[in-house]
């Protein structure tokens, strides 16, 4: 199971600043660890206009998430960006369902021992504690790239496939396609710094 | 001059540079290095020593480089992120600089799945671009990746690779720009058989002005047999071997294919040399080092300027 931690405001606010926002908040893992108060505080400090807010359980369930997106279609349409408070799986589900929308995550996901196997398996989150989805169109290179590279794609990307396994999609090709749809190709010029692999869940 | 590198000196003097390649043996035999080095000596400005290429265990790159250096050649130590974390990488950077080696090529590395130990754990703590920046910060800022200071910095001429033929094509120049921004001094490209596509890539490179910020060496390699040509066309990821190349080799009797492969290599050298912004070639005569003198001579690239004796 996962533990979720709210990202520092200084990391997220520059990305969403002066954009109208729609907010998703997933409480599905609250029993284990969801930082209810920290998320409320983060949202309370936001100066951006919020067009709507959906609070739900198990955002990682695609059909469930899709139903909420339909229900809040107008508010989401009105928003310029969607901000997701959930684990990395939930953020990837929303990003994949709203491919043409700017989708950002407000959380880092950390590993917590035990309780494995309860979440949906469609997307992978390595629970690395340093969520990178805001720069990669909501597609995770840490979990999905064979070499986990943060400055991809490497020279082994051919016809959208990874050289390591012809049945495997090149995550960085998907990232580029998604960023192109969202007019965010400039993010590819950003130099991804060496990752902190040592992150442990907050106690 | 940032370093004491002969390669840097040749490039800064705007000579058309030539680098070669030497694959260390899958054994502890030092004689192999000496016998391969003799074909490179006097014909190249520096030679790459591969680092467990195709993820097969071979003699350590720095050790084979030192043996080659003792033969009077200038090594470029290839360093991959596959087998080392940032601690080991920085230790090796200090070590090769202390041994008097002046050049390093930063690579992510071929995935372990392709080699002879496919069940090994890949490291990939950092990627090639992060490695370039790490070495640049060590050299120019005298800082480790942690931010700690060091007393004597490693004066290395920093290289990186570029593959103009991988996908997505439009992004390849963006990635090159990132390597330049991270601190690459020179670039060696994937082997070129599709000269038109390479020329198109170079056009993008020039439009971004990158050829003025980094020295680009065009990768070339002679083809030894039809089997090798087909293998590269169909089995090697990120390689682009056009049908015209296969047709040219098929057009000669079987015993002349390797001669034709050498001629083709010389032709490609002459073609890439005409492209604005190409600062030299990187000749990869893998396990066929004996043809290097002939190719370099036929391409009119001898004598090499200021090659250390």
């Amino acid at each position: 199971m996962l533990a979720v931690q709210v990202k520092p405001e200084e990391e997220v606010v520059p990305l969403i600043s002066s954009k109208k926002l729609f907010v998703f908040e997933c409480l599905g893992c609250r029993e284990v660890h969801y930082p209810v108060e920290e998320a409320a505080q983060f949202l309370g400090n936001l100066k951006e206009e919020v067009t709507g807010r959906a609070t739900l359980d198990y955002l990682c369930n695609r059909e469930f998430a899709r139903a909420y997106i339909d229900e809040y279609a107008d508010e989401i349409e009105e928003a310029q960006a969607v901000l997701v408070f959930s684990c990395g799986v939930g953020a990837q589900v929303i990003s994949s369902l709203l491919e043409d929308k700017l989708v950002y995550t407000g959380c880092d996901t950390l590993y917590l021992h035990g309780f494995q196997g309860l979440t949906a398996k469609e997307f992978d989150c390595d629970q690395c504690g340093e969520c990178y989805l805001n720069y990669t169109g909501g597609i995770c290179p840490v979990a999905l790239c064979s070499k986990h590279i943060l400055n991809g794609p490497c020279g082994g990307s051919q016809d959208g496939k990874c050289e390591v396994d012809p049945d495997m999609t090149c995550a960085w090709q998907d990232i580029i396609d998604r960023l192109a749809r969202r007019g965010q190709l400039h993010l590819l010029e950003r130099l991804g710094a060496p990752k902190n692999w040592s992150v442990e869940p907050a106690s | 001059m940032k370093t004491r590198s002969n390669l840097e000196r040749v490039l800064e003097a705007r000579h058309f540079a030539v680098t070669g390649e030497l694959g260390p043996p899958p054994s502890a035999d030092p004689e192999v290095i000496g016998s391969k080095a003799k074909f490179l000596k006097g014909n190249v400005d520096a030679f790459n020593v591969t680092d467990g290429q195709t993820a097969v265990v071979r003699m350590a790159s720095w050790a084979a480089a030192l043996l080659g250096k003792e033969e009077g050649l200038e090594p470029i130590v290839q360093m991959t992120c596959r087998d080392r974390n940032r601690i080991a990488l920085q230790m090796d950077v200090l070590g090769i600089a202390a041994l008097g080696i002046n050049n390093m090529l930063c690579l992510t590395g071929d995935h372990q799945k392709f080699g002879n130990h496919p069940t090994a754990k890949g490291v990939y703590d950092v990627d090639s671009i992060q490695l370039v920046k790490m070495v640049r910060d060590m050299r120019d800022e005298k800082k480790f990746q942690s931010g700690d200071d060091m007393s004597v910095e490693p004066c290395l001429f920093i290289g990186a690779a570029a593959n103009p033929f991988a996908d997505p094509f439009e992004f390849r120049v963006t990635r090159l720009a990132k390597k330049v921004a991270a601190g690459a001094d020179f670039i060696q490209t994937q082997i070129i058989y599709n000269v038109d596509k390479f020329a198109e890539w170079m056009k993008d490179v020039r439009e971004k002005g990158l050829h003025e910020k980094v020295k680009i060496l065009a990768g070339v390699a002679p083809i030894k047999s039809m089997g090798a040509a087909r293998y590269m066309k169909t089995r090697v990821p990120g390689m682009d071997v056009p049908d015209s190349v296969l047709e040219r080799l098929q057009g000669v009797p079987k015993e002349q294919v390797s001669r034709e492969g050498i001629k083709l290599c010389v032709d490609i050298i002459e073609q890439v040399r005409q492209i604005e912004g190409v600062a030299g070639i990187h000749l990869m005569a893998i396990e066929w080092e004996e043809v290097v003198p002939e190719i370099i001579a036929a391409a009119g690239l001898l004598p090499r300027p200021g090659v250390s004796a």
Side-chain angles (χ1 to χ4, degrees), chain A residues 15-40:
Chain A
L15 302 170
I16 56 172
S17 106
S18 25
K19 293 186 176 80
K20 279 196 225 175
L21 299 173
F22 184 87
V23 177
F24 276 105
E25 202 177 0
C26 174
L27 303 182
C29 294
R30 179 169 43 181
E31 294 79 0
V32 183
H33 184 74
Y34 180 83
V36 180
E37 285 171 25
E38 292 88 339

Side-chain angles (χ1 to χ4, degrees), chain B residues 57-183:
Chain B
V57 174
R58 291 169 180 277
M59 188 186 293
S61 175
W62 67 266
L66 190 60
L67 291 169
K69 190 170 186 289
E70 285 166 0
E71 302 287 330
L73 280 153
E74 161 126 332
I76 301 168
V77 170
Q78 295 194 182
M79 182 103 57
T80 72
C81 304
R82 178 192 59 229
D83 311 319
R84 302 171 183 85
N85 65 11
R86 66 192 78 179
I87 300 172
L89 287 165
Q90 291 178 102
M91 295 201 300
D92 281 352
V93 165
L94 296 180
I96 62 171
L99 290 171
I101 291 168
N102 299 315
N103 312 282
M104 184 179 145
L105 185 78
C106 303
L107 303 166
T108 302
D110 294 323
H111 195 276
Q112 61 277 10
K113 186 201 155 183
F114 296 110
N116 58 356
H117 294 74
T119 55
K121 183 177 194 307
V123 178
Y124 308 112
D125 176 24
V126 296
D127 61 34
S128 58
I129 294 179
Q130 293 162 348
L131 176 58
V132 167
K133 182 163 189 314
M134 198 160 77
V135 182
R136 198 263 306 265
D137 289 348
M138 291 173 80
R139 183 190 69 192
D140 296 346
E141 312 291 334
K142 292 175 121 179
K143 283 200 185 300
F144 291 107
Q145 195 270 330
S146 61
D148 288 353
D149 295 318
M150 73 188 79
S151 58
V152 178
E153 73 277 24
C155 279
L156 295 167
F157 194 47
I158 304 167
N163 185 357
F165 310 107
D167 287 329
F169 182 72
E170 320 75 72
F171 174 66
R172 301 324 305 186
V173 174
T174 307
R175 190 151 195 260
L176 174 68
K178 237 169 138 166
K179 291 192 174 184
V180 174

Side-chain angles (χ1 to χ4, degrees), chain B residues 6 34 37 48 104 115 126-127 166 226 238 247 257 261 268 308-309:
Chain B
N6 181 58
N48 289 41
M104 184 179 145
V126 296
D127 61 34
M226 277 313 296
E247 284 158 16
V257 168
I268 291 174
S308 49

Side-chain angles (χ1 to χ4, degrees), chain B residues 273-291:
Chain B
R273 205 178 168 179
Q274 303 303 317
I275 300 172
E276 189 191 342
V278 175
I281 55 155
H282 175 49
L283 174 59
M284 290 167 267
I286 300 151
E287 298 305 320
W288 202 17
E289 288 82 0
E290 63 269 28
V291 298

